[in-house]
Amino acid sequence: MSYKALYRKYRSTTFDEIVGQRPIIKTLQNALNANKISHAYLFSGPRGTGKTSVARLFAKALNCEEGIGHICNKCDSCTSINSGSHPDIIEIDAASNSGVDEVRDLIDKVKYAPIKGRYKVYIIDEVHMMTNNAFNALLKTLEEPPSYVVFILCTTEPYKLLPTIVSRCQRYDFKKIDDNDLSYLIEGVLSKEHIEADDEAINILVELANGGARDALSILDQVIAYSSSYIKANDIEQIFGLCSLVEKVNFLKFIRQGDTLLVLNKIKAFINKNVDILRLTSELLDLLKDLLIYRKTNTFDLVNTPNKNMVKELSVIFTDNQLNSMIFLLMDCQKEFKITSNPNFTFEVYILKLLNLFKTNEVNEEAVVETLPKKEEPTPIVDKKPIENIVVNKPIVQEIKKEETPTIKPVEIKNEPSTPIKENIVIKKEIDIFNPLDEVEEPKKEISKTPNFYHDPAKPKDNSKLSRKGLSYYIDDDNLIKILVTANKDERTNLANIFKDKLEEYIDDPTYNEAAQLLIDTSIFALTKNEILVVSNFDNDAKKINVKDNQNLFSTLLRNISKKKLFVYALSRSRYIDIRRLYLSLSQVNKLPKIDEIKKIDIQEEEID
């Protein structure tokens, strides 16, 4: 007999064997026991969380010879469903059967009664791949099928389904499986396969699975092929290019020491070891987050890092501000991974930035208190200027602030003027909206900007799909630079922190679902009093956001989220890079427009096909 993959070999055969999803299982079992069977179900959620497995179990419970709600796995009906040969259980892959013709063929066969069981069950996997025409053809049948037909639609992307389809189904949202449940699943499979593994290896497998039972068993299958009878953490690290916790902790210590050469050599060793830099960045962020949580709470209840001693050790040598700064920089690095062809280079550059930032923070936080020696002694005079600072043992770093003056009085030398010579000190403040670690100057005055592009009603007039053609808004480079100059970083950061979560609340809203889905794939570039610039990874999505007829929908959605009336303008990824470079170039040569001189933002209209 040919080898069978673990996720197929250990697929759940009863509801009790399903990993996680207890609320969903309980609801379905109660419905079966009460004989309250709906005509259509929608199972949505991440991959590998049990959607198709539960659909098959539900089909077995409907057709088991012992009665509805039973799953004996012994009768002819149950065994044929397990083997995939039951004539009344039809599994359809919507990815390869997405057209109208396939749906019409399905509709023609629905009217025929079951051959072997009580119900005909149609399990349509990846249903979001079906075309709109196919959905429309299925609508009537899905709403009023024969009494002996049950539809079960499975999808990982429910927001792509038509609202009219979703409204005709009982919807069940499958969640990522808890780490404890995944550990229990992996340990059970290892026991049945007579294979041993250390605790750290199991923890790494759970982390790699990311809440998916199928992923967990697929990864375990691969590791078993490499390790045979005993699985070590080091084996998994070698297969998937991972860093051990000790290596990550040491790497953070090297950064804390500020030793650039040592840090760069460590990065080179990671690359030579074929470490996945993207995963390493994510793991470093998780570790830094755990450190920050421990420092804030002084408890390990919310910390995921298994080695508590290492967390304690690192938490002592970092401050809250340093951890926050490191987290923001690495998050920026993750964003750059999406547009770069060389992640290793990008990671190295951002670590160098992090080192530089860390050194700056270290001086600010650990600067020695300035003191004068007890006995003042004459000091050689240079250019007949008073001595403003006396250095003892090590240099003293002073930071000049706008509203503060140095508290140390100059040492007066005999026969010399006691009043220091005044010098004009010009403090240049750079506006950088691209790095959340830098301070951004807020606009000093209100600016008269765009005409009113919005309608007053709380909801847009047209609740149908977004337009793809017609007049489109366009902002040239000069006016985009004006928007960037007047951008407010604090407000942008505050909105960015809630942006994705708030948009997810509108994913299932029939009015805003398509607009929310477009915006959830963007990132906020700049935010002013009247405008918001977002960056889309796809040119077509950016064009769709900028269509004039769509502006009211996006503006209203943003108003619900930010409580501000904003003109929404989207940039493609390539244009975002060009504008960012132009802004930085103008900033370096002091050619950026002055805030007080900006009176108006000109927004043009153009016809698009």
Side-chain angles (χ1 to χ4, degrees):
M1 184 178 177
S2 60
Y3 178 74
K4 203 170 187 179
L6 290 180
Y7 78 86
R8 295 180 59 198
K9 183 177 179 180
Y10 292 101
R11 185 184 290 274
S12 303
T13 57
T14 65
F15 283 125
D16 292 335
E17 294 178 4
I18 290 291
V19 181
Q21 319 302 346
R22 300 320 303 170
I24 295 175
I25 300 302
K26 183 177 180 180
T27 304
L28 293 176
Q29 285 181 318
N30 290 342
L32 288 166
N33 294 334
N35 200 18
K36 294 181 179 180
I37 313 301
S38 178
H39 63 279
Y41 296 88
L42 173 61
F43 293 167
S44 64
R47 69 178 189 273
T49 52
K51 299 184 293 297
T52 306
S53 295
V54 172
R56 291 176 181 173
L57 292 176
F58 193 74
K60 278 200 290 186
L62 288 174
N63 292 291
C64 181
E65 294 178 5
E66 290 190 4
I68 292 179
H70 292 274
I71 300 178
C72 66
N73 288 314
K74 297 178 182 178
C75 66
D76 186 41
S77 179
C78 288
T79 54
S80 58
I81 292 175
N82 288 337
S83 63
S85 59
H86 199 292
D88 298 323
I89 310 302
I90 301 98
E91 293 193 33
I92 301 173
D93 177 19
S96 55
N97 297 275
S98 58
V100 178
D101 294 337
E102 288 83 356
V103 172
R104 286 174 179 167
D105 182 61
L106 182 151
I107 294 171
D108 289 339
K109 294 178 180 178
V110 162
K111 59 187 176 183
Y112 298 111
I115 298 172
K116 189 176 183 179
R118 301 183 190 87
Y119 288 89
K120 290 181 71 173
V121 182
Y122 287 88
I123 301 174
I124 306 178
D125 206 4
E126 300 301 330
V127 70
H128 63 272
M129 300 292 287
M130 293 176 63
T131 64
N132 286 344
N133 290 335
F135 275 132
N136 290 330
L138 184 62
L139 275 178
K140 190 62 178 176
T141 303
L142 188 65
E143 183 176 22
E144 297 178 359
S147 59
Y148 48 78
V149 172
V150 173
F151 286 97
I152 303 178
L153 313 182
C154 302
T155 178
T156 55
E157 303 178 46
Y159 51 84
K160 290 186 177 180
L161 301 184
L162 295 178
T164 49
I165 292 289
V166 177
S167 65
R168 286 165 167 78
C169 305
Q170 277 191 18
R171 177 171 174 175
Y172 293 87
D173 291 322
F174 287 66
K175 309 298 183 184
K176 285 187 176 182
I177 300 172
D178 184 76
D179 289 351
N180 293 330
D181 290 334
L182 281 179
S183 297
Y184 181 78
L185 172 66
I186 293 172
E187 290 171 357
V189 171
L190 288 174
S191 176
K192 293 175 183 177
E193 294 291 318
H194 306 290
I195 295 173
E196 296 181 358
D198 55 41
D199 293 339
E200 187 178 355
I202 294 177
N203 290 334
I204 295 175
L205 288 171
V206 170
E207 184 178 350
L208 289 173
N210 192 27
R214 183 171 64 238
D215 287 352
L217 295 183
S218 296
I219 294 170
L220 179 60
D221 217 348
Q222 185 176 351
V223 174
I224 290 174
Y226 179 87
S227 303
S228 298
S229 59
Y230 189 83
I231 300 175
K232 299 179 181 178
N234 187 51
D235 296 338
I236 306 176
E237 292 165 2
Q238 291 181 3
I239 295 172
F240 296 100
L242 305 178
C243 282
S244 66
L245 179 59
V246 174
E247 288 179 304
K248 288 179 283 189
V249 169
N250 288 336
F251 185 59
L252 291 178
K253 288 181 179 178
F254 296 154
I255 293 174
R256 177 64 181 85
Q257 294 171 10
D259 192 330
T260 303
L261 182 60
L262 193 60
V263 170
L264 292 179
N265 284 333
K266 190 62 179 176
I267 295 176
K268 184 177 180 180
F270 288 152
I271 296 173
N272 292 336
K273 189 182 172 183
N274 293 322
V275 169
D276 185 346
I277 293 298
L278 275 66
R279 184 179 293 276
L280 174 60
T281 306
S282 178
E283 291 172 350
L284 288 174
L285 276 170
D286 288 337
L287 182 54
L288 291 172
K289 179 204 68 175
D290 283 345
L291 293 178
L292 190 59
I293 289 175
Y294 176 72
R295 284 184 58 85
K296 294 286 188 182
T297 63
N298 200 29
T299 177
F300 290 107
D301 293 344
L302 301 175
V303 173
N304 296 322
T305 303
N307 194 316
K308 312 305 181 186
N309 292 330
M310 289 185 179
V311 173
K312 279 186 178 180
E313 184 180 356
L314 284 177
S315 66
V316 174
I317 64 176
F318 288 104
T319 66
D320 292 352
N321 290 336
Q322 289 170 345
L323 290 173
N324 275 316
S325 299
M326 294 169 75
I327 288 172
F328 278 121
L329 253 181
L330 290 180
M331 288 172 66
D332 280 348
C333 183
Q334 282 187 323
K335 295 177 184 176
E336 292 295 328
F337 284 154
K338 298 178 182 179
I339 61 173
T340 183
S341 59
N342 191 344
N344 295 345
F345 172 80
T346 302
F347 179 75
E348 196 169 11
V349 168
Y350 269 87
I351 292 299
L352 288 174
K353 282 186 179 181
L354 194 150
L355 279 168
N356 186 55
L357 173 70
F358 187 85
K359 289 177 182 178
T360 303
N361 286 343
E362 183 178 9
V363 170
N364 291 338
E365 294 174 7
E366 300 180 3
V368 181
V369 178
E370 298 177 359
T371 56
L372 291 174
K374 295 180 180 180
K375 294 182 180 180
E376 298 181 357
E377 298 180 358
T379 308
I381 301 172
V382 180
D383 295 334
K384 297 183 179 182
K385 291 183 180 180
I387 297 174
E388 295 183 358
N389 295 319
I390 293 181
V391 178
V392 181
N393 295 330
K394 60 171 69 177
I396 300 174
V397 180
Q398 286 186 319
E399 182 179 352
I400 300 177
K401 299 183 179 179
K402 288 185 176 180
E403 300 179 357
E404 296 180 4
T405 56
T407 57
I408 301 174
K409 297 180 180 179
V411 180
E412 297 183 4
I413 309 298
K414 294 180 179 181
N415 301 323
E416 291 296 330
S418 59
T419 305
I421 300 174
K422 295 183 178 179
E423 296 181 359
N424 292 328
I425 300 176
V426 179
I427 300 177
K428 180 181 176 182
K429 187 173 184 181
E430 296 181 356
I431 301 176
D432 182 3
I433 66 168
F434 313 108
N435 190 342
L437 299 173
D438 293 339
E439 186 178 0
V440 177
E441 185 174 2
E442 296 183 1
K444 297 179 180 178
K445 59 183 290 185
E446 295 184 1
I447 299 170
S448 174
K449 296 190 178 178
T450 61
N452 184 8
F453 294 97
Y454 319 101
H455 299 289
D456 289 333
K459 287 195 175 182
K461 296 178 180 179
D462 184 7
N463 294 341
S464 60
K465 300 177 185 176
L466 294 172
S467 300
R468 290 175 171 81
K469 298 180 180 180
L471 287 176
S472 177
Y473 291 120
Y474 177 77
I475 305 179
D476 59 25
D477 292 357
D478 291 340
N479 282 283
L480 283 176
I481 293 299
K482 291 179 182 179
I483 292 176
L484 299 186
V485 169
T486 59
N488 188 314
K489 179 203 165 184
D490 291 336
E491 291 188 5
R492 178 179 67 87
T493 302
N494 292 336
L495 180 57
N497 289 336
I498 64 171
F499 193 61
K500 304 290 185 182
D501 292 338
K502 289 292 185 182
L503 286 173
E504 286 182 355
E505 297 176 4
Y506 291 89
I507 290 297
D508 297 326
D509 189 288
T511 300
Y512 299 107
N513 61 337
E514 191 173 358
Q517 183 52 42
L518 282 178
L519 288 179
I520 207 170
D521 291 330
T522 66
S523 55
I524 301 177
F525 182 31
L527 178 63
T528 70
K529 181 180 179 182
N530 295 328
E531 298 93 11
I532 180 171
L533 299 183
V534 297
V535 180
S536 175
N537 293 323
F538 306 101
D539 292 354
N540 289 335
D541 289 353
K543 291 178 181 178
K544 193 184 299 184
I545 293 173
N546 295 335
V547 172
K548 183 177 180 179
D549 290 341
N550 298 337
Q551 181 61 215
N552 183 48
L553 183 64
F554 287 107
S555 175
T556 306
L557 177 58
L558 264 295
R559 187 176 186 177
N560 293 341
I561 293 174
S562 65
K563 310 305 179 185
K564 294 173 62 177
K565 183 186 291 186
L566 297 170
F567 174 76
V568 186
Y569 188 74
L571 301 176
S572 64
R573 178 63 60 177
S574 58
R575 192 167 185 221
Y576 151 74
I577 295 173
D578 293 339
I579 293 298
R580 177 176 176 175
R581 288 173 179 169
L582 176 60
Y583 179 92
L584 293 175
S585 299
L586 293 174
S587 176
Q588 290 174 357
V589 295
N590 294 323
K591 295 293 186 182
L592 287 173
K594 305 298 182 184
I595 293 179
D596 294 338
E597 297 174 356
I598 302 174
K599 304 299 182 184
K600 182 181 179 182
I601 303 297
D602 292 324
I603 299 177
Q604 306 169 18
E605 295 180 4
E606 60 181 9
E607 186 75 27
I608 61 171
D609 297 328

